[in-house]
Coordinates of all heavy atoms in Angstrom, one line a residue:
A14 N 25.3 0.8 -18.6 CA 25.5 -0.4 -18.0 C 24.4 -0.6 -16.9 O 23.8 -1.7 -16.7 CB 26.9 -0.6 -17.4
V15 N 24.2 0.4 -16.1 CA 23.2 0.3 -15.0 C 21.8 0.1 -15.6 O 21.1 -0.8 -15.1 CB 23.2 1.7 -14.2 CG1 22.0 1.7 -13.3 CG2 24.5 1.8 -13.4
R16 N 21.4 0.8 -16.6 CA 20.1 0.6 -17.2 C 20.0 -0.8 -17.8 O 18.9 -1.4 -17.8 CB 19.9 1.7 -18.3 CG 19.7 3.0 -17.7 CD 18.4 3.1 -16.8 NE 18.6 4.1 -15.8 CZ 18.3 3.9 -14.5 NH1 17.7 2.8 -14.1 NH2 18.5 4.9 -13.7
L17 N 21.0 -1.3 -18.4 CA 20.9 -2.7 -19.0 C 20.7 -3.7 -17.8 O 19.9 -4.6 -18.0 CB 22.2 -3.0 -19.7 CG 22.3 -4.4 -20.3 CD1 21.1 -4.7 -21.3 CD2 23.6 -4.7 -21.0
L18 N 21.4 -3.5 -16.7 CA 21.2 -4.4 -15.6 C 19.8 -4.3 -15.0 O 19.2 -5.2 -14.7 CB 22.3 -4.2 -14.5 CG 23.7 -4.7 -14.9 CD1 24.6 -4.5 -13.7 CD2 23.7 -6.2 -15.2
C19 N 19.4 -3.0 -14.9 CA 18.0 -2.8 -14.3 C 16.9 -3.4 -15.2 O 16.0 -4.0 -14.7 CB 17.8 -1.3 -14.2 SG 18.6 -0.5 -12.8
A20 N 17.1 -3.3 -16.5 CA 16.1 -3.9 -17.4 C 16.1 -5.4 -17.5 O 15.1 -6.0 -17.8 CB 16.4 -3.3 -18.8
T21 N 17.2 -6.0 -17.0 CA 17.2 -7.5 -17.1 C 17.2 -8.2 -15.8 O 17.3 -9.5 -15.8 CB 18.5 -7.9 -17.9 OG1 19.6 -7.4 -17.3 CG2 18.4 -7.4 -19.4
T22 N 17.3 -7.5 -14.7 CA 17.2 -8.2 -13.4 C 15.8 -8.4 -12.9 O 14.9 -8.0 -13.6 CB 18.1 -7.4 -12.4 OG1 18.4 -8.3 -11.3 CG2 17.4 -6.2 -11.9
Q23 N 15.6 -9.0 -11.8 CA 14.3 -9.3 -11.3 C 13.5 -8.0 -11.1 O 14.0 -6.9 -10.9 CB 14.4 -10.0 -9.9 CG 15.1 -11.4 -10.1 CD 15.3 -12.0 -8.7 OE1 15.2 -11.4 -7.7 NE2 15.5 -13.3 -8.7
A24 N 12.2 -8.2 -11.0 CA 11.3 -7.0 -10.8 C 11.4 -6.6 -9.3 O 11.7 -7.4 -8.5 CB 9.8 -7.5 -11.1
N25 N 11.0 -5.4 -9.1 CA 10.9 -4.8 -7.7 C 9.5 -5.1 -7.3 O 8.5 -4.7 -7.9 CB 11.2 -3.3 -7.7 CG 11.0 -2.7 -6.4 OD1 9.9 -2.1 -6.2 ND2 11.9 -2.9 -5.5
R26 N 9.4 -5.9 -6.2 CA 8.0 -6.3 -5.7 C 7.9 -5.8 -4.3 O 8.8 -5.9 -3.5 CB 7.8 -7.8 -5.8 CG 7.8 -8.3 -7.2 CD 7.5 -9.8 -7.2 NE 6.9 -10.3 -6.0 CZ 7.2 -11.4 -5.3 NH1 8.1 -12.2 -5.8 NH2 6.6 -11.8 -4.2
F27 N 6.7 -5.2 -4.0 CA 6.4 -4.7 -2.7 C 5.0 -4.8 -2.4 O 4.1 -5.0 -3.3 CB 6.9 -3.2 -2.6 CG 6.3 -2.3 -3.5 CD1 5.1 -1.6 -3.2 CD2 6.8 -2.1 -4.8 CE1 4.5 -0.8 -4.1 CE2 6.3 -1.2 -5.7 CZ 5.1 -0.6 -5.4
E28 N 4.7 -4.7 -1.1 CA 3.3 -4.8 -0.7 C 3.0 -3.5 -0.1 O 3.7 -3.0 0.8 CB 3.2 -5.9 0.4 CG 1.8 -6.1 1.0 CD 1.8 -7.2 2.0 OE1 2.4 -7.0 3.1 OE2 1.1 -8.2 1.8
T29 N 1.9 -2.8 -0.5 CA 1.5 -1.5 0.0 C 0.4 -1.7 1.1 O -0.5 -2.5 0.9 CB 0.9 -0.7 -1.1 OG1 1.8 -0.5 -2.2 CG2 0.5 0.7 -0.6
V30 N 0.6 -1.0 2.2 CA -0.3 -1.1 3.3 C -0.9 0.2 3.6 O -0.2 1.2 3.7 CB 0.4 -1.7 4.6 CG1 -0.5 -1.7 5.8 CG2 1.0 -3.0 4.3
T31 N -2.2 0.3 3.8 CA -2.9 1.5 4.3 C -3.6 1.1 5.5 O -4.5 0.2 5.5 CB -3.8 2.0 3.2 OG1 -3.1 2.3 2.0 CG2 -4.5 3.3 3.7
A32 N -3.3 1.8 6.6 CA -4.0 1.5 7.9 C -4.8 2.7 8.3 O -4.4 3.8 8.3 CB -2.9 1.2 9.0
M33 N -6.1 2.4 8.6 CA -7.0 3.4 9.2 C -7.1 3.2 10.7 O -7.5 2.1 11.1 CB -8.4 3.3 8.5 CG -8.3 3.3 7.0 SD -7.9 4.8 6.3 CE -9.4 5.7 6.5
L34 N -6.7 4.1 11.4 CA -6.6 4.0 12.9 C -7.6 5.0 13.5 O -7.6 6.2 13.2 CB -5.2 4.3 13.4 CG -4.1 3.5 12.7 CD1 -2.7 4.0 13.1 CD2 -4.2 2.0 13.1
D35 N -8.5 4.5 14.4 CA -9.5 5.3 15.1 C -9.0 5.5 16.5 O -8.6 4.6 17.2 CB -10.8 4.6 15.1 CG -11.5 4.5 13.7 OD1 -11.3 5.5 13.0 OD2 -12.0 3.5 13.4
C36 N -9.0 6.8 16.9 CA -8.6 7.1 18.3 C -9.5 8.3 18.8 O -9.5 9.4 18.2 CB -7.2 7.6 18.3 SG -6.5 8.0 19.9
Q37 N -10.3 8.0 19.7 CA -11.2 8.9 20.4 C -12.0 9.8 19.4 O -12.1 11.0 19.5 CB -10.5 9.8 21.3 CG -9.9 9.0 22.5 CD -9.3 9.9 23.6 OE1 -9.4 11.1 23.5 NE2 -8.8 9.3 24.6
G38 N -12.6 9.1 18.4 CA -13.4 9.8 17.4 C -12.7 10.4 16.2 O -13.3 10.9 15.3
Y39 N -11.4 10.3 16.2 CA -10.6 10.8 15.1 C -10.1 9.6 14.3 O -9.7 8.6 14.9 CB -9.5 11.7 15.5 CG -9.9 12.9 16.2 CD1 -10.0 13.0 17.6 CD2 -10.2 14.0 15.4 CE1 -10.4 14.2 18.2 CE2 -10.7 15.2 16.0 CZ -10.7 15.3 17.4 OH -11.1 16.5 18.0
T40 N -10.0 9.7 13.0 CA -9.5 8.7 12.1 C -8.1 9.2 11.6 O -8.1 10.2 11.0 CB -10.4 8.3 11.0 OG1 -11.7 7.9 11.6 CG2 -9.9 7.2 10.1
F41 N -7.1 8.3 11.8 CA -5.8 8.6 11.2 C -5.5 7.6 10.2 O -5.8 6.4 10.3 CB -4.8 8.6 12.4 CG -5.0 9.6 13.4 CD1 -5.7 9.3 14.6 CD2 -4.5 10.9 13.3 CE1 -6.0 10.2 15.6 CE2 -4.7 11.8 14.3 CZ -5.4 11.5 15.4
T42 N -4.7 8.0 9.2 CA -4.3 7.1 8.1 C -2.8 7.0 8.1 O -2.1 8.0 8.2 CB -4.8 7.7 6.7 OG1 -6.2 7.8 6.8 CG2 -4.5 6.7 5.6
A43 N -2.3 5.8 8.0 CA -0.9 5.5 7.9 C -0.7 4.7 6.6 O -1.4 3.7 6.4 CB -0.4 4.8 9.1
R44 N 0.3 5.1 5.8 CA 0.6 4.3 4.6 C 2.1 3.9 4.7 O 2.9 4.6 5.1 CB 0.4 5.2 3.4 CG -1.1 5.4 3.1 CD -1.2 6.2 1.8 NE -2.6 6.5 1.6 CZ -3.3 7.5 2.0 NH1 -2.7 8.4 2.7 NH2 -4.6 7.7 1.7
G45 N 2.4 2.8 4.1 CA 3.7 2.3 4.1 C 3.8 1.1 3.1 O 2.8 0.7 2.6
K46 N 5.0 0.6 2.9 CA 5.2 -0.5 2.0 C 6.3 -1.4 2.6 O 7.2 -1.0 3.2 CB 5.4 -0.2 0.6 CG 6.7 0.6 0.3 CD 6.7 0.9 -1.2 CE 7.9 1.7 -1.6 NZ 7.9 2.0 -3.1
T47 N 6.1 -2.7 2.3 CA 7.1 -3.7 2.6 C 7.7 -4.2 1.3 O 7.0 -4.7 0.4 CB 6.4 -4.8 3.4 OG1 5.8 -4.3 4.6 CG2 7.4 -5.9 3.8
I48 N 9.0 -4.2 1.2 CA 9.7 -4.7 0.1 C 9.8 -6.2 0.1 O 10.3 -6.8 1.1 CB 11.2 -4.1 0.0 CG1 11.2 -2.6 0.0 CG2 11.9 -4.7 -1.2 CD1 10.5 -2.0 -1.2
L49 N 9.2 -6.8 -0.9 CA 9.2 -8.3 -0.9 C 10.4 -8.8 -1.7 O 11.0 -9.8 -1.4 CB 7.9 -8.8 -1.6 CG 6.6 -8.4 -0.9 CD1 5.4 -8.8 -1.7 CD2 6.6 -8.9 0.5
Q50 N 10.8 -8.0 -2.7 CA 12.0 -8.4 -3.6 C 12.5 -7.1 -4.1 O 11.9 -6.3 -4.9 CB 11.5 -9.3 -4.7 CG 12.6 -9.6 -5.7 CD 12.0 -10.6 -6.8 OE1 11.6 -11.6 -6.5 NE2 12.0 -10.1 -8.0
S51 N 13.8 -6.7 -3.8 CA 14.4 -5.5 -4.2 C 14.5 -5.4 -5.7 O 14.3 -4.3 -6.3 CB 15.7 -5.3 -3.6 OG 15.6 -5.1 -2.2
G52 N 15.0 -6.4 -6.4 CA 15.1 -6.5 -7.8 C 15.9 -5.3 -8.4 O 17.0 -5.0 -7.8
W53 N 15.5 -4.7 -9.4 CA 16.2 -3.7 -10.1 C 16.5 -2.4 -9.2 O 17.5 -1.7 -9.4 CB 15.6 -3.3 -11.4 CG 14.2 -2.6 -11.2 CD1 13.0 -3.3 -11.2 CD2 13.9 -1.2 -11.1 NE1 12.0 -2.4 -11.0 CE2 12.5 -1.1 -10.9 CE3 14.7 -0.1 -11.0 CZ2 11.9 0.1 -10.7 CZ3 14.1 1.1 -10.8 CH2 12.7 1.2 -10.6

């Protein structure tokens, strides 16, 4: 039942973000995502 609902409900949509942050000569990378639509 769960798989049937997952297969027929809305798609899971998200936005992926990669941030490059510079601090005193060092570069740091941060990754995350924002859910736009939870869907299945």
